[in-house]
Amino acid sequence: APSVAAALVRSECAADGLRPLHTNPNLAWWCEVALESPIAAVNLMFFANVTVGFWIIGLLQRSFWLIDPYWTILPPLIGAFYASHPAALAKGRLMAANILVGLWSARLTYSYFRREEWKFGQREDWRYTDMAAQWPRLWPALSFFAVGLAQQPMLTGLTLPLWAAAHPAPGAPEWGALDAVICAVALEGLAVAKAADDQLAAFMAANDERVRRGKGKVLILDTGIWFYSRRARACARARVEAVQRAYGTQWA
């Protein structure tokens, strides 16, 4: 909600000469940051809402589960913030980049909540649970860096190509064959990742059924896509991330 409010305030900013202004003088500083340094604005919102906000919520709930689903939700929101900048060029490349990120987000969000049996807050990342058990007294302070601050450069850095897609360099070519190839690679990566998600979910469900019948679990999934790679989803994600980097470097 605070980030939505900040984005709405940006939409109310007006330029007076070279300096962005707002009817409320107390918000003029935000207009200047949001319009002239949008990457800094994203980092400010992330720090306030996620790094600090989620850390406080995690301490109160004694679980830092919230950061996991936001890994799937924040990238398209950041992309929308960049795309709605007054100077953004709403062309095919920008729309394609945001659609691809939206598809990636939908696939990952579905996979996450299916794994959590469609429940909120069922469990946190096992690595946080382990760290809390290893350093119980230090964990309230350590978690700020391990859970909150550590996510910021990763997520804001991952979405930088969306800024480049919204603000191509002068003289950048229009949509062409290379864009079509890049989109095809991304869609192939998304399809492979979705298939790997489904195969893993079916494998886990089959193992649960074996346990209910008093049988032992199958320890390794080695069929389908997983036959070719133990990191099937990571390989697919690497192709999608390569597409993002292409959007961030080819026309920036």
Side-chain angles (χ1 to χ4, degrees), residues 42-92:
V42 164
N43 276 276
L44 282 173
M45 290 189 291
F46 194 106
F47 183 80
N49 293 300
V50 180
T51 302
V52 176
F54 285 12
W55 174 64
I56 293 173
I57 293 171
L59 291 177
L60 294 174
Q61 294 184 338
R62 297 185 178 181
S63 172
F64 291 97
W65 70 274
L66 191 58
I67 194 64
D68 279 354
Y70 265 83
W71 257 93
T72 76
I73 297 171
L74 283 173
L77 294 179
I78 293 174
F81 184 79
Y82 288 150
S84 61
H85 190 279
L89 298 178
K91 294 187 177 181

